[in-house]
Amino acid sequence: MSNAVSIQNVCKLYNKIPVVNHLSFTIESGEMFGLLGPNGAGKSTTIRMLTTLTKPSSGQIQVAGYDVTQQSLQVKQCIGVVLQQISVDTDLSVWENMEFHGRMHHIPNPKRQQLIKQWLEYVELAERRDDLVKTLSGGMKRRLQIARALLHEPQILFLDEPTVGLDPQTRRRLWEIIRDLNKQGMTMLLTTHYMDEVEYLCDRIGIMDGGKLIKLGTLPQLRQQHGEGLVMKQIGDRWEYNFFPTLEEANVYLDRQADKTGMMVRASNLEDIFVELTGRQLD
Ligand code: ADP
């Protein structure tokens, strides 16, 4: 399978300080890749480099086979971007926002009108087409951002914290949209703070910390490496965690304890592994 994204030995320095530090990984065509990390890990900077918004200080980045610095125009034609901050124009209507983006990408009519209609229907905003964006809810604005990012039919979609600040129902609706697009063959890279989002959506997970990739793999691979069973022990107001290769081994360990007070066994999850690796919990 060909690589949709290739990052090789990339650094990004701000004021001579590396915020992305010798980063290398690839994303296969059709893959749903999740980039996870605490605040300041360098996730947004990585997305900004991948989407041509900022240049790497050193190293090579290819997106859809094009070099992001030498062939940024071609890269822009192949990608859709949904950034953290709401980037739609709130003083324009839903349709006008789509129309503007379609013209920017030189999509000719009648194809432009047909695509706008199609994607607004897809994200269930067709009935709000003439409403000003400022009258939409946060979830609707995010759906509009997604529809707009899809208008020029990109091969790869970048989503930077797509569900931050949304209520649980709206998050799940967005998950369905994201999953459906991926099933249709779209390659996706998403950054998030939410472990459940990664567990539900992503084929492969990269964990970043301090500008570096500290872990890469599927969830089953990460669980296998760190231990699939967990013994938790409450000591005062904090919990001590011990990983075991399997849930069975964790249970055997618990059974052998004379005093089981404050102890419990469960299967490990991504959050346990994240905390183990970064020493931090996400907010
Ligand atoms: P994340 O998305 O993982 O929270 P970011 O990529 O936003 O991390 O930020 C990584 C680090 O780079 C942070 O310490 C941040 O303050 C710094 N940074 C990001 N953008 C700039 C910039 N334009 N100028 C200076 N420092 C920046």
Side-chain angles (χ1 to χ4, degrees):
M1 237 185 212
S2 62
N3 285 332
V5 171
S6 164
I7 300 185
Q8 296 303 329
N9 208 19
V10 166
C11 295
K12 177 73 185 178
L13 280 71
Y14 284 120
N15 308 319
K16 296 186 186 159
I17 299 166
V19 300
V20 171
N21 200 350
H22 297 285
L23 186 68
S24 299
F25 66 90
T26 56
I27 303 176
E28 283 180 6
S29 226
E31 194 175 18
M32 172 95 83
F33 188 91
L35 203 52
L36 200 65
N39 275 335
K43 305 179 299 293
S44 295
T45 305
T46 303
I47 283 219
R48 289 176 63 79
M49 290 191 288
L50 288 167
T51 55
T52 77
L53 294 172
T54 189
K55 286 189 176 145
S57 307
S58 61
Q60 302 292 318
I61 303 183
Q62 288 188 330
V63 173
Y66 298 110
D67 185 284
V68 287
T69 33
Q70 313 287 335
Q71 298 165 299
S72 60
L73 216 59
Q74 288 94 324
V75 170
K76 278 183 200 151
Q77 280 162 2
C78 298
I79 63 170
V81 186
V82 179
L83 291 177
Q84 253 179 70
Q85 62 275 25
I86 300 288
S87 54
V88 282
D89 192 329
T90 54
D91 288 324
L92 295 180
S93 73
V94 167
W95 190 278
E96 285 165 345
N97 264 283
M98 296 291 280
E99 181 72 31
F100 186 68
H101 185 82
R103 285 181 193 215
M104 293 271 288
H105 278 274
H106 308 292
I107 306 169
N109 270 334
K111 191 180 177 197
R112 188 169 73 236
Q113 305 305 304
Q114 176 250 314
L115 282 172
I116 294 175
K117 193 165 170 288
Q118 172 194 320
W119 288 116
L120 285 183
E121 276 167 11
Y122 181 72
V123 299
E124 296 169 23
L125 280 177
E127 284 174 14
R128 306 293 300 259
R129 51 170 281 175
D130 297 321
D131 293 353
L132 291 182
V133 170
K134 63 179 155 204
T135 66
L136 303 183
S137 68
M140 287 175 185
K141 283 185 193 136
R142 203 58 57 88
R143 295 208 305 267
L144 175 58
Q145 278 182 288
I146 292 177
R148 194 184 59 171
L150 296 169
L151 193 58
H152 57 285
E153 301 176 298
Q155 300 166 32
I156 308 165
L157 190 62
F158 293 91
L159 301 149
D160 195 8
E161 308 230 8
T163 66
V164 75
L166 301 178
D167 62 63
Q169 285 88 343
T170 312
R171 285 182 69 210
R172 275 165 201 271
R173 178 71 197 101
L174 277 181
W175 287 2
E176 281 167 23
I177 291 174
I178 291 168
R179 222 180 190 183
D180 186 54
L181 287 167
N182 180 245
K183 274 203 190 123
Q184 291 175 37
M186 193 172 284
T187 307
M188 300 203 169
L189 183 148
L190 75 93
T191 73
T192 182
H193 267 83
Y194 302 120
M195 301 290 170
D196 54 348
E197 193 153 289
V198 180
E199 286 184 333
Y200 183 76
L201 290 173
C202 297
D203 301 318
R204 224 151 43 101
I205 304 157
I207 300 181
M208 276 186 86
D209 198 13
K212 290 179 187 290
L213 195 70
I214 58 168
K215 205 81 210 177
L216 181 67
T218 63
L219 181 58
Q221 283 169 348
L222 300 192
R223 288 191 61 227
Q224 206 176 22
Q225 284 168 18
H226 286 264
E228 293 171 4
L230 195 72
V231 175
M232 293 169 66
K233 184 174 184 183
Q234 192 167 20
I235 303 165
D237 59 357
R238 65 176 192 88
W239 287 90
E240 189 183 87
Y241 297 83
N242 273 308
F243 284 88
F244 288 82
T246 61
L247 196 56
E248 202 183 350
E249 283 165 80
N251 273 313
V252 169
Y253 173 84
L254 183 69
D255 283 345
R256 287 200 186 125
Q257 302 307 304
D259 181 7
K260 300 184 182 62
T261 317
M263 292 179 82
M264 66 174 279
V265 167
R266 63 170 171 80
S268 65
N269 59 34
L270 185 57
E271 182 154 347
D272 302 321
I273 294 165
F274 182 88
V275 173
E276 171 87 356
L277 283 170
T278 66
R280 265 169 288 180
Q281 237 146 353
L282 290 177
D283 38 51

